[in-house]
Amino acid sequence: MEVAVLPDLETIGRIGASRIVQVLADNPAATIGLATGSSPLPVYENLVEQYRAGRVSFAAAQAYCLDEYVGLPNDHPESYSNVISRVFTSQVDFRPGAVHAPDGLAPDLVAAAAEYDAQIHAAGGADIQLLGIGVDGHIGFNEPGGSLSSRTHLGFLAEQTRRDNARFFGGDIDQVPTACLTQGLGTIMEAHALVLVATGENKAEAVRGMIEGPVSAYCPASILQFHNNVTVLLDEAAAAGLKMRHEYQATWDGFRRLEQENYV
Ligand code: GLP
């Protein structure tokens, strides 16, 4: 993993967005994996700015969302389809029908999950996938204890996750859905490149488990240690538990120097 501890959200947004812009520069028809939650917001803000400045276009791209709540009506402001549209996709030039999300209202949720997984697989996996991380180490909605090679599936939110997400539902945990459709860890691992953003002290333990802990279903994000192209963008608070922080920083700085000198 490449791990960067960055001074502020603006820098996190700029570096995260630059990875996506580079993928689109190489292939304007790239498949981009999108994540909801507050962590990726600086990346979306930067991408919208770059789009407005004419530096990037999504007109030929496809996007696949990571997950969706089960049972929220189509017009619910917190359904992940609506959130991603509001914070990002409706502000840039994706073509109608180019942004895909699991159907949390499907009459057969298991079949809908399998179909969504097949679509992503047929697209060859995401060229680049953006991720956040939950306080308990989940990515997407892959909660601790699940299979490390799962595909897109019907899942259930951990109590901790429902408590954390209650802030989007007027602080009322009872309004937070209990079930979800989520890309599985195996699906996420098929993405060619992954960019994970984590900020704030409440993420420090999960971040440490992901980067330095044993690979274990206890911290689902730790599976990313087996992926060969992961960039983790952290603020100081989220990096606070890392034991080898200086080594990561030295590697990060070394690569940036070589990039500036055009060696990589
Ligand atoms: C939700 C989402 C995850 C997200 C996590 C953290 O549970 N399903 O994809 O990473 O929350 O969200 P935040 O970035 O708001 O802390």
Side-chain angles (χ1 to χ4, degrees), residues 36-39 66-67 80 132-134 138 140-141 161 165 167 203:
T36 41
S38 41
S39 309
L66 262 184
D67 47 13
Y80 279 175
I133 183 170
H138 73 250
F141 269 130
T161 303
N165 290 3
R167 70 191 194 278
K203 298 293 174 69

Side-chain angles (χ1 to χ4, degrees), residues 23-245:
V23 166
L24 285 165
D26 293 344
N27 173 18
T31 301
I32 301 168
L34 302 176
T36 41
S38 41
S39 309
L41 291 178
V43 176
Y44 296 139
E45 277 163 28
N46 187 290
L47 286 172
V48 171
E49 268 172 38
Q50 297 212 52
Y51 163 70
R52 288 186 182 148
R55 289 198 288 268
V56 66
S57 168
F58 301 85
Q62 296 285 316
Y64 285 88
C65 297
L66 262 184
D67 47 13
E68 180 58 283
Y69 291 115
V70 163
L72 287 186
N74 280 326
D75 60 354
H76 194 291
E78 293 307 324
S79 87
Y80 279 175
S81 301
N82 289 332
V83 171
I84 208 70
S85 164
R86 191 166 65 236
V87 302
F88 179 48
T89 56
S90 70
Q91 300 190 54
V92 296
D93 59 345
F94 279 106
R95 278 195 322 260
V99 180
H100 312 269
D103 181 1
L105 291 170
D108 184 340
L109 292 163
V110 173
E115 198 178 306
Y116 191 68
D117 201 81
Q119 275 180 45
I120 297 170
H121 189 67
D127 290 295
I128 187 161
Q129 172 71 55
L130 201 49
L131 293 170
I133 183 170
V135 167
D136 62 3
H138 73 250
I139 50 177
F141 269 130
N142 292 278
E143 297 285 16
S147 160
L148 290 176
S149 60
S150 59
R151 309 298 311 184
T152 303
H153 60 280
L154 170 63
F156 296 89
L157 277 65
E159 185 73 12
Q160 168 78 53
T161 303
R162 292 185 70 229
R163 268 201 304 275
D164 292 340
N165 290 3
R167 70 191 194 278
F168 299 114
F169 293 83
D172 181 0
I173 189 173
D174 293 332
Q175 301 302 313
V176 183
T178 52
C180 60
L181 292 182
T182 180
Q183 286 189 33
L185 295 173
T187 320
I188 294 168
M189 289 289 283
E190 279 179 6
H192 298 261
L194 297 157
V195 175
L196 186 145
V197 177
T199 54
E201 62 185 343
N202 63 334
K203 298 293 174 69
E205 198 183 326
V207 164
R208 172 150 181 233
M210 166 175 70
I211 299 173
E212 296 180 342
V215 174
S216 152
Y218 184 74
C219 179
S222 63
I223 190 67
L224 301 182
Q225 292 176 37
F226 280 122
H227 197 287
N228 69 358
N229 188 347
V230 182
T231 305
V232 182
L233 305 177
L234 305 172
D235 67 359
E236 287 286 344
L242 293 175
K243 286 195 174 151
M244 302 216 306
R245 188 219 152 125

